[in-house]
Amino acid sequence: YEMLVKKNKVMNLTRITDREDFYVKHILDSLLIAKVCDLRDKYILDVGTGAGFPGIPVKIFFPDTRLLLLDSVNKKLLFIDEVIDGLGFDNISTIHGRAEEFGQDKKYREKFDLVVSRAVADMSVLSELCIPFVNIGGSFIAYKAIDSDAEISSAGKAIKLLSGSDAVVYDLEIPGTDIPRRLVKIAKSSASPNKYPRKPGIPAKNPM
Ligand code: SAH
């Protein structure tokens, strides 16, 4: 919290800087995935991590996970690298670039037990960016708003084309508050077609 508030004065990382608000809307919100899956020993990718959410809180509370944090804006990752050094974490690193590119890279494609993403894109675009990274038997969890029914159902076809299972929706509240949060979980039992993800920018310009 202190590192983020300090860095936030020189670059735009978050609008949430009040301590209580930060604990609730960044830390506890990020940790909600622990209610819907077992995080122990998992290799996790956070797509569009920004200032490190949900990845960094997950690493703090589940230190035996392996984490890779991906973003297309390098200065945010440089901040995260400072946090990783400052907190002395192992088995966590950052990669700079577009999900569309890394999703086609053998080193990363279909390599993760769990892919998570919060506040990055619409469900159909996000599915194209994230599902190719999930290994067979793994899953993708998207942080969505509670009123995302239409968004989720219109992503159904894309999810199926990417070899994702039917979406399972978990409507939760951040503990100790009445702030709602929906997590959407998609499992994967066969490989995604090679043509996905398409080239950078195409998923958003022309959603599946
Ligand atoms: N997950 C964080 C940040 C959300 S802002 C949080 O919830 O607080 C969205 C982030 O996604 C930005 O940092 C942006 O750079 C990144 N992003 C958007 N599209 C991307 C893409 N195609 N590949 C990699 N990063 C992307």
Side-chain angles (χ1 to χ4, degrees), residues 42-43 108-115 130-140 162-165 186-194:
K42 293 287 192 299
Y43 186 28
Y108 303 104
R109 187 181 178 89
E110 270 150 11
K111 289 290 188 285
F112 297 87
D113 305 313
L114 182 62
V115 177
C130 294
I131 293 175
F133 287 112
V134 179
N135 63 20
I136 311 294
S139 35
F140 162 48
L162 290 154
S163 306
S165 67
I186 292 162
K188 183 167 162 183
S189 55
S190 62
S192 302
N194 288 335

Side-chain angles (χ1 to χ4, degrees), residues 113-152:
D113 305 313
L114 182 62
V115 177
V116 296
S117 190
R118 188 182 81 161
V120 172
D122 164 271
M123 193 64 196
S124 116
V125 176
L126 197 62
S127 296
E128 183 172 357
L129 299 182
C130 294
I131 293 175
F133 287 112
V134 179
N135 63 20
I136 311 294
S139 35
F140 162 48
I141 297 180
Y143 287 68
K144 286 289 162 193
I146 212 83
D147 61 354
S148 53
D149 287 349
E151 182 187 334
I152 293 164

